[in-house]
Short mmCIF file of all heavy atoms in Angstrom, two decimals:
data_model
loop_
_atom_site.label_atom_id
_atom_site.label_comp_id
_atom_site.label_asym_id
_atom_site.label_seq_id
_atom_site.Cartn_x
_atom_site.Cartn_y
_atom_site.Cartn_z
N LEU A 212 6.45 24.40 2.91
CA LEU A 212 7.29 23.28 3.35
C LEU A 212 6.56 21.95 3.21
O LEU A 212 7.15 20.95 2.77
CB LEU A 212 7.73 23.50 4.79
CG LEU A 212 8.67 22.43 5.38
CD1 LEU A 212 9.99 22.41 4.63
CD2 LEU A 212 8.89 22.69 6.86
N ILE A 213 5.28 21.91 3.58
CA ILE A 213 4.50 20.67 3.48
C ILE A 213 4.34 20.25 2.02
O ILE A 213 4.53 19.08 1.67
CB ILE A 213 3.12 20.86 4.14
CG1 ILE A 213 3.28 21.00 5.66
CG2 ILE A 213 2.20 19.70 3.81
CD1 ILE A 213 2.02 21.39 6.38
N VAL A 214 4.00 21.21 1.14
CA VAL A 214 3.86 20.88 -0.28
C VAL A 214 5.20 20.42 -0.85
O VAL A 214 5.27 19.47 -1.64
CB VAL A 214 3.34 22.11 -1.05
CG1 VAL A 214 3.33 21.82 -2.55
CG2 VAL A 214 1.94 22.47 -0.59
N ARG A 215 6.27 21.08 -0.43
CA ARG A 215 7.61 20.70 -0.88
C ARG A 215 7.95 19.26 -0.45
O ARG A 215 8.48 18.47 -1.24
CB ARG A 215 8.61 21.69 -0.31
CG ARG A 215 10.07 21.34 -0.63
CD ARG A 215 10.83 20.99 0.64
NE ARG A 215 12.15 20.52 0.29
CZ ARG A 215 12.60 19.31 0.56
NH1 ARG A 215 11.84 18.44 1.20
NH2 ARG A 215 13.82 18.94 0.21
N ASN A 216 7.63 18.90 0.78
CA ASN A 216 7.91 17.55 1.27
C ASN A 216 7.07 16.51 0.53
O ASN A 216 7.55 15.41 0.23
CB ASN A 216 7.65 17.47 2.77
CG ASN A 216 8.69 18.22 3.58
OD1 ASN A 216 9.78 18.53 3.09
ND2 ASN A 216 8.37 18.54 4.82
N ASP A 217 5.80 16.86 0.25
CA ASP A 217 4.94 15.94 -0.49
C ASP A 217 5.49 15.69 -1.89
O ASP A 217 5.49 14.55 -2.38
CB ASP A 217 3.51 16.50 -0.59
CG ASP A 217 2.76 16.40 0.73
OD1 ASP A 217 3.21 15.63 1.60
OD2 ASP A 217 1.75 17.10 0.90
N GLU A 218 5.95 16.75 -2.54
CA GLU A 218 6.50 16.59 -3.89
C GLU A 218 7.79 15.77 -3.85
O GLU A 218 8.04 14.95 -4.74
CB GLU A 218 6.76 17.95 -4.53
CG GLU A 218 7.28 17.83 -5.95
CD GLU A 218 7.28 19.15 -6.70
OE1 GLU A 218 6.83 20.16 -6.12
OE2 GLU A 218 7.73 19.15 -7.85
N GLU A 219 8.61 15.99 -2.83
CA GLU A 219 9.84 15.22 -2.72
C GLU A 219 9.52 13.74 -2.54
O GLU A 219 10.16 12.88 -3.18
CB GLU A 219 10.66 15.72 -1.53
CG GLU A 219 12.02 15.03 -1.39
CD GLU A 219 12.80 15.57 -0.22
OE1 GLU A 219 12.26 15.57 0.91
OE2 GLU A 219 13.96 15.98 -0.41
N ARG A 220 8.55 13.40 -1.70
CA ARG A 220 8.16 12.00 -1.52
C ARG A 220 7.61 11.42 -2.81
O ARG A 220 7.87 10.26 -3.16
CB ARG A 220 7.12 11.89 -0.39
CG ARG A 220 7.72 11.97 1.00
CD ARG A 220 6.70 11.56 2.04
NE ARG A 220 5.60 12.50 2.13
CZ ARG A 220 5.58 13.55 2.94
NH1 ARG A 220 6.60 13.78 3.74
NH2 ARG A 220 4.54 14.35 2.97
N TRP A 221 6.82 12.22 -3.54
CA TRP A 221 6.27 11.76 -4.81
C TRP A 221 7.37 11.44 -5.81
O TRP A 221 7.33 10.44 -6.50
CB TRP A 221 5.33 12.82 -5.36
CG TRP A 221 4.65 12.43 -6.65
CD1 TRP A 221 3.47 11.75 -6.79
CD2 TRP A 221 5.12 12.71 -7.97
NE1 TRP A 221 3.16 11.60 -8.11
CE2 TRP A 221 4.17 12.17 -8.87
CE3 TRP A 221 6.23 13.36 -8.49
CZ2 TRP A 221 4.32 12.26 -10.24
CZ3 TRP A 221 6.38 13.44 -9.86
CH2 TRP A 221 5.43 12.90 -10.73
N ARG A 222 8.38 12.29 -5.85
CA ARG A 222 9.49 12.07 -6.78
C ARG A 222 10.30 10.82 -6.41
O ARG A 222 10.71 10.05 -7.27
CB ARG A 222 10.40 13.30 -6.81
CG ARG A 222 9.76 14.49 -7.53
CD ARG A 222 10.70 15.66 -7.60
NE ARG A 222 10.09 16.77 -8.31
CZ ARG A 222 10.67 17.42 -9.32
NH1 ARG A 222 11.86 17.06 -9.74
NH2 ARG A 222 10.07 18.43 -9.91
N TRP A 223 10.53 10.65 -5.10
CA TRP A 223 11.24 9.45 -4.67
C TRP A 223 10.43 8.19 -5.00
O TRP A 223 11.00 7.17 -5.42
CB TRP A 223 11.52 9.52 -3.17
CG TRP A 223 12.74 10.29 -2.83
CD1 TRP A 223 12.83 11.52 -2.26
CD2 TRP A 223 14.10 9.87 -3.05
NE1 TRP A 223 14.14 11.91 -2.11
CE2 TRP A 223 14.94 10.91 -2.58
CE3 TRP A 223 14.68 8.73 -3.60
CZ2 TRP A 223 16.32 10.84 -2.66
CZ3 TRP A 223 16.07 8.67 -3.66
CH2 TRP A 223 16.87 9.70 -3.20
N SER A 224 9.13 8.25 -4.79
CA SER A 224 8.28 7.10 -5.09
C SER A 224 8.29 6.79 -6.58
O SER A 224 8.36 5.62 -6.99
CB SER A 224 6.85 7.38 -4.61
OG SER A 224 5.98 6.34 -4.98
N ARG A 225 8.25 7.83 -7.39
CA ARG A 225 8.25 7.63 -8.84
C ARG A 225 9.60 7.07 -9.31
O ARG A 225 9.65 6.17 -10.14
CB ARG A 225 7.96 8.96 -9.54
CG ARG A 225 7.59 8.79 -11.01
CD ARG A 225 7.02 10.09 -11.55
NE ARG A 225 6.55 9.92 -12.91
CZ ARG A 225 5.39 9.40 -13.26
NH1 ARG A 225 4.55 8.99 -12.31
NH2 ARG A 225 5.04 9.30 -14.53
N ALA A 226 10.68 7.59 -8.75
CA ALA A 226 12.00 7.08 -9.11
C ALA A 226 12.14 5.62 -8.69
O ALA A 226 12.74 4.80 -9.41
CB ALA A 226 13.08 7.93 -8.45
N ASN A 227 11.59 5.28 -7.53
CA ASN A 227 11.65 3.89 -7.05
C ASN A 227 10.85 2.96 -7.97
O ASN A 227 11.27 1.83 -8.24
CB ASN A 227 11.11 3.82 -5.62
CG ASN A 227 11.32 2.47 -4.98
OD1 ASN A 227 12.42 1.91 -5.06
ND2 ASN A 227 10.29 1.94 -4.35
N SER A 228 9.71 3.44 -8.46
CA SER A 228 8.91 2.63 -9.38
C SER A 228 9.66 2.38 -10.68
O SER A 228 9.64 1.27 -11.23
CB SER A 228 7.58 3.33 -9.68
OG SER A 228 6.81 3.50 -8.51
N ILE A 229 10.35 3.39 -11.19
CA ILE A 229 11.12 3.24 -12.42
C ILE A 229 12.27 2.26 -12.21
O ILE A 229 12.56 1.41 -13.05
CB ILE A 229 11.65 4.60 -12.88
CG1 ILE A 229 10.47 5.49 -13.32
CG2 ILE A 229 12.63 4.46 -14.02
CD1 ILE A 229 10.87 6.89 -13.68
N PHE A 230 12.93 2.37 -11.05
CA PHE A 230 14.04 1.46 -10.75
C PHE A 230 13.56 0.01 -10.71
O PHE A 230 14.19 -0.89 -11.26
CB PHE A 230 14.67 1.85 -9.42
CG PHE A 230 15.76 0.91 -8.98
CD1 PHE A 230 17.01 0.96 -9.55
CD2 PHE A 230 15.51 -0.02 -7.97
CE1 PHE A 230 18.01 0.09 -9.16
CE2 PHE A 230 16.51 -0.89 -7.56
CZ PHE A 230 17.77 -0.83 -8.16
N LYS A 231 12.44 -0.23 -10.05
CA LYS A 231 11.90 -1.60 -9.97
C LYS A 231 11.50 -2.10 -11.35
O LYS A 231 11.69 -3.28 -11.68
CB LYS A 231 10.70 -1.64 -9.04
CG LYS A 231 11.06 -1.47 -7.56
CD LYS A 231 9.83 -1.56 -6.69
CE LYS A 231 10.20 -1.44 -5.21
NZ LYS A 231 9.00 -1.51 -4.35
N SER A 232 10.96 -1.19 -12.19
CA SER A 232 10.56 -1.58 -13.53
C SER A 232 11.77 -1.99 -14.36
O SER A 232 11.75 -2.97 -15.09
CB SER A 232 9.82 -0.43 -14.20
OG SER A 232 9.54 -0.72 -15.54
N MET A 233 12.85 -1.21 -14.23
CA MET A 233 14.08 -1.53 -14.96
C MET A 233 14.68 -2.84 -14.47
O MET A 233 15.20 -3.64 -15.25
CB MET A 233 15.09 -0.39 -14.79
CG MET A 233 14.66 0.91 -15.44
SD MET A 233 15.78 2.26 -15.07
CE MET A 233 17.28 1.67 -15.85
N LYS A 234 14.61 -3.08 -13.17
CA LYS A 234 15.19 -4.28 -12.58
C LYS A 234 14.47 -5.53 -13.05
O LYS A 234 15.08 -6.58 -13.27
CB LYS A 234 15.13 -4.17 -11.06
CG LYS A 234 15.87 -5.29 -10.33
CD LYS A 234 15.86 -5.05 -8.84
CE LYS A 234 16.60 -6.15 -8.10
NZ LYS A 234 16.59 -5.94 -6.62
N GLY A 235 13.15 -5.42 -13.20
CA GLY A 235 12.38 -6.59 -13.60
C GLY A 235 12.10 -6.68 -15.08
O GLY A 235 11.37 -7.55 -15.53
N GLY A 236 12.69 -5.78 -15.88
CA GLY A 236 12.39 -5.74 -17.31
C GLY A 236 12.81 -6.98 -18.06
O GLY A 236 12.05 -7.54 -18.85
N ASP A 237 14.03 -7.45 -17.82
CA ASP A 237 14.52 -8.63 -18.54
C ASP A 237 13.69 -9.86 -18.23
O ASP A 237 13.39 -10.68 -19.11
CB ASP A 237 15.99 -8.88 -18.19
CG ASP A 237 16.90 -7.79 -18.73
OD1 ASP A 237 16.47 -7.11 -19.68
OD2 ASP A 237 18.01 -7.63 -18.21
N ARG A 238 13.29 -10.01 -16.95
CA ARG A 238 12.49 -11.17 -16.55
C ARG A 238 11.14 -11.16 -17.24
O ARG A 238 10.65 -12.18 -17.73
CB ARG A 238 12.31 -11.17 -15.03
CG ARG A 238 11.55 -12.41 -14.53
CD ARG A 238 11.42 -12.40 -13.01
NE ARG A 238 10.55 -11.34 -12.55
CZ ARG A 238 11.02 -10.24 -11.94
NH1 ARG A 238 12.32 -10.09 -11.74
NH2 ARG A 238 10.19 -9.30 -11.53
N ASN A 239 10.52 -9.96 -17.32
CA ASN A 239 9.21 -9.85 -17.98
C ASN A 239 9.31 -10.15 -19.47
O ASN A 239 8.44 -10.79 -20.07
CB ASN A 239 8.63 -8.47 -17.75
CG ASN A 239 8.30 -8.21 -16.29
OD1 ASN A 239 8.14 -9.16 -15.52
ND2 ASN A 239 8.21 -6.96 -15.91
N CYS A 240 10.39 -9.67 -20.08
CA CYS A 240 10.56 -9.89 -21.51
C CYS A 240 10.76 -11.38 -21.81
O CYS A 240 10.19 -11.93 -22.76
CB CYS A 240 11.76 -9.09 -22.01
SG CYS A 240 12.04 -9.20 -23.79
N PHE A 241 11.55 -12.05 -20.99
CA PHE A 241 11.79 -13.49 -21.18
C PHE A 241 10.48 -14.27 -21.02
O PHE A 241 10.18 -15.18 -21.80
CB PHE A 241 12.82 -13.98 -20.16
CG PHE A 241 13.06 -15.46 -20.21
CD1 PHE A 241 13.87 -16.01 -21.20
CD2 PHE A 241 12.45 -16.31 -19.28
CE1 PHE A 241 14.08 -17.38 -21.26
CE2 PHE A 241 12.66 -17.66 -19.35
CZ PHE A 241 13.47 -18.21 -20.33
N ALA A 242 9.67 -13.89 -20.03
CA ALA A 242 8.41 -14.59 -19.82
C ALA A 242 7.46 -14.40 -20.99
O ALA A 242 6.75 -15.33 -21.40
CB ALA A 242 7.76 -14.11 -18.52
N ALA A 243 7.45 -13.20 -21.54
CA ALA A 243 6.56 -12.93 -22.67
C ALA A 243 6.96 -13.75 -23.89
O ALA A 243 6.13 -14.35 -24.58
CB ALA A 243 6.56 -11.44 -22.99
N LYS A 244 8.25 -13.80 -24.17
CA LYS A 244 8.71 -14.56 -25.34
C LYS A 244 8.57 -16.06 -25.13
O LYS A 244 8.30 -16.81 -26.06
CB LYS A 244 10.15 -14.18 -25.65
CG LYS A 244 10.29 -12.75 -26.17
CD LYS A 244 11.73 -12.40 -26.51
CE LYS A 244 11.83 -11.00 -27.11
NZ LYS A 244 13.22 -10.63 -27.45
N ALA A 245 8.77 -16.51 -23.90
CA ALA A 245 8.63 -17.93 -23.61
C ALA A 245 7.19 -18.40 -23.82
O ALA A 245 6.94 -19.57 -24.12
CB ALA A 245 9.07 -18.22 -22.17
N ALA A 246 6.24 -17.51 -23.63
CA ALA A 246 4.82 -17.87 -23.82
C ALA A 246 4.37 -17.66 -25.26
O ALA A 246 3.18 -17.68 -25.55
CB ALA A 246 3.96 -17.03 -22.89
N ASN A 247 5.37 -17.44 -26.17
CA ASN A 247 5.06 -17.21 -27.59
C ASN A 247 4.12 -16.02 -27.78
O ASN A 247 3.21 -16.05 -28.62
CB ASN A 247 4.46 -18.47 -28.23
CG ASN A 247 5.43 -19.63 -28.25
OD1 ASN A 247 6.63 -19.43 -28.50
ND2 ASN A 247 4.93 -20.83 -27.96
N ALA A 248 4.30 -15.01 -26.94
CA ALA A 248 3.45 -13.83 -27.06
C ALA A 248 3.93 -12.97 -28.21
O ALA A 248 5.09 -12.99 -28.61
CB ALA A 248 3.47 -13.04 -25.76
N THR A 249 3.01 -12.23 -28.79
CA THR A 249 3.33 -11.30 -29.88
C THR A 249 2.83 -9.92 -29.49
O THR A 249 1.86 -9.78 -28.73
CB THR A 249 2.66 -11.75 -31.18
OG1 THR A 249 1.25 -11.86 -30.96
CG2 THR A 249 3.22 -13.10 -31.63
N PRO A 250 3.45 -8.87 -30.03
CA PRO A 250 2.99 -7.51 -29.70
C PRO A 250 1.56 -7.28 -30.14
O PRO A 250 1.15 -7.72 -31.21
CB PRO A 250 3.96 -6.62 -30.47
CG PRO A 250 5.16 -7.48 -30.75
CD PRO A 250 4.62 -8.86 -30.90
N GLU A 251 0.79 -6.61 -29.33
CA GLU A 251 -0.59 -6.30 -29.64
C GLU A 251 -0.64 -4.85 -30.11
O GLU A 251 -0.51 -3.92 -29.32
CB GLU A 251 -1.48 -6.48 -28.41
CG GLU A 251 -2.94 -6.10 -28.64
CD GLU A 251 -3.55 -6.85 -29.82
OE1 GLU A 251 -3.43 -8.08 -29.89
OE2 GLU A 251 -4.13 -6.16 -30.68
N HIS A 252 -0.78 -4.62 -31.40
CA HIS A 252 -0.68 -3.27 -31.95
C HIS A 252 -2.01 -2.53 -31.96
O HIS A 252 -2.05 -1.33 -32.21
CB HIS A 252 -0.13 -3.33 -33.38
CG HIS A 252 1.29 -3.82 -33.43
ND1 HIS A 252 2.35 -3.08 -32.96
CD2 HIS A 252 1.81 -5.00 -33.88
CE1 HIS A 252 3.48 -3.76 -33.12
NE2 HIS A 252 3.17 -4.94 -33.68
N GLN A 253 -3.08 -3.26 -31.68
CA GLN A 253 -4.35 -2.56 -31.72
C GLN A 253 -4.47 -1.52 -30.60
O GLN A 253 -5.26 -0.60 -30.69
CB GLN A 253 -5.51 -3.55 -31.63
CG GLN A 253 -5.58 -4.30 -30.29
CD GLN A 253 -6.82 -5.17 -30.19
OE1 GLN A 253 -7.86 -4.82 -30.76
NE2 GLN A 253 -6.71 -6.29 -29.50
N TYR A 254 -3.68 -1.72 -29.55
CA TYR A 254 -3.68 -0.74 -28.46
C TYR A 254 -2.65 0.37 -28.70
O TYR A 254 -2.52 1.27 -27.89
CB TYR A 254 -3.39 -1.42 -27.12
CG TYR A 254 -4.44 -2.42 -26.72
CD1 TYR A 254 -4.19 -3.78 -26.81
CD2 TYR A 254 -5.68 -1.98 -26.25
CE1 TYR A 254 -5.14 -4.69 -26.44
CE2 TYR A 254 -6.65 -2.91 -25.89
CZ TYR A 254 -6.37 -4.26 -25.98
OH TYR A 254 -7.33 -5.17 -25.62
N GLU A 255 -1.92 0.21 -29.82
CA GLU A 255 -0.89 1.19 -30.14
C GLU A 255 0.10 1.33 -29.00
O GLU A 255 0.57 2.40 -28.67
CB GLU A 255 -1.49 2.56 -30.49
CG GLU A 255 -2.37 2.51 -31.72
CD GLU A 255 -2.90 3.88 -32.09
OE1 GLU A 255 -2.64 4.82 -31.33
OE2 GLU A 255 -3.54 4.00 -33.13
N ASP A 256 0.39 0.21 -28.40
CA ASP A 256 1.33 0.20 -27.28
C ASP A 256 2.26 -0.99 -27.47
O ASP A 256 1.84 -2.14 -27.36
CB ASP A 256 0.58 0.08 -25.95
CG ASP A 256 1.51 0.30 -24.76
OD1 ASP A 256 2.74 0.13 -24.93
OD2 ASP A 256 1.01 0.64 -23.68
N PRO A 257 3.52 -0.79 -27.81
CA PRO A 257 4.44 -1.90 -28.07
C PRO A 257 4.78 -2.69 -26.82
O PRO A 257 5.49 -3.67 -26.89
CB PRO A 257 5.68 -1.19 -28.61
CG PRO A 257 5.62 0.17 -28.03
CD PRO A 257 4.17 0.51 -27.95
N TYR A 258 4.27 -2.25 -25.65
CA TYR A 258 4.58 -2.94 -24.41
C TYR A 258 3.48 -3.91 -23.99
O TYR A 258 3.61 -4.59 -22.98
CB TYR A 258 4.81 -1.92 -23.28
CG TYR A 258 5.83 -0.89 -23.66
CD1 TYR A 258 5.45 0.38 -24.07
CD2 TYR A 258 7.19 -1.20 -23.62
CE1 TYR A 258 6.40 1.30 -24.45
CE2 TYR A 258 8.14 -0.27 -23.98
CZ TYR A 258 7.74 0.98 -24.41
OH TYR A 258 8.67 1.91 -24.77
N ILE A 259 2.39 -4.00 -24.77
CA ILE A 259 1.31 -4.96 -24.52
C ILE A 259 1.52 -6.16 -25.44
O ILE A 259 1.54 -6.03 -26.66
CB ILE A 259 -0.08 -4.33 -24.76
CG1 ILE A 259 -0.30 -3.15 -23.83
CG2 ILE A 259 -1.16 -5.39 -24.58
CD1 ILE A 259 -0.34 -3.53 -22.36
N TRP A 260 1.70 -7.33 -24.83
CA TRP A 260 1.90 -8.57 -25.60
C TRP A 260 0.74 -9.52 -25.32
O TRP A 260 0.23 -9.59 -24.21
CB TRP A 260 3.22 -9.24 -25.20
CG TRP A 260 4.44 -8.47 -25.64
CD1 TRP A 260 4.79 -7.22 -25.28
CD2 TRP A 260 5.43 -8.93 -26.54
NE1 TRP A 260 5.95 -6.84 -25.90
CE2 TRP A 260 6.37 -7.87 -26.68
CE3 TRP A 260 5.64 -10.13 -27.25
CZ2 TRP A 260 7.49 -7.97 -27.49
CZ3 TRP A 260 6.75 -10.23 -28.06
CH2 TRP A 260 7.67 -9.16 -28.18
N ILE A 261 0.35 -10.29 -26.40
CA ILE A 261 -0.76 -11.23 -26.31
C ILE A 261 -0.23 -12.64 -26.55
O ILE A 261 0.43 -12.92 -27.56
CB ILE A 261 -1.87 -10.92 -27.34
CG1 ILE A 261 -2.37 -9.48 -27.13
CG2 ILE A 261 -3.02 -11.91 -27.20
CD1 ILE A 261 -3.01 -9.25 -25.79
N THR A 262 -0.52 -13.54 -25.61
CA THR A 262 -0.10 -14.94 -25.75
C THR A 262 -1.08 -15.68 -26.64
O THR A 262 -2.20 -15.20 -26.92
CB THR A 262 -0.05 -15.62 -24.37
OG1 THR A 262 -1.38 -15.74 -23.87
CG2 THR A 262 0.79 -14.81 -23.39
N PRO A 263 -0.69 -16.89 -27.14
CA PRO A 263 -1.64 -17.68 -27.96
C PRO A 263 -2.93 -17.98 -27.23
O PRO A 263 -3.96 -18.22 -27.86
CB PRO A 263 -0.84 -18.95 -28.26
CG PRO A 263 0.60 -18.52 -28.20
CD PRO A 263 0.64 -17.48 -27.11
#
Side-chain angles (χ1 to χ4, degrees):
L212 182 63
I213 291 171
V214 174
R215 176 245 173 243
N216 289 342
D217 286 343
E218 182 168 358
E219 184 179 54
R220 282 192 293 269
W221 182 88
R222 288 182 179 231
W223 276 107
S224 175
R225 195 168 185 81
N227 189 47
S228 298
I229 293 175
F230 176 76
K231 289 182 178 179
S232 174
M233 293 174 64
K234 187 175 180 181
D237 292 339
R238 184 178 68 253
N239 294 339
C240 183
F241 176 79
K244 291 182 176 180
N247 296 321
T249 57
E251 177 55 50
H252 294 291
Q253 65 174 328
Y254 296 106
E255 298 183 355
D256 190 337
Y258 307 101
I259 299 295
W260 291 62
I261 302 297
T262 67

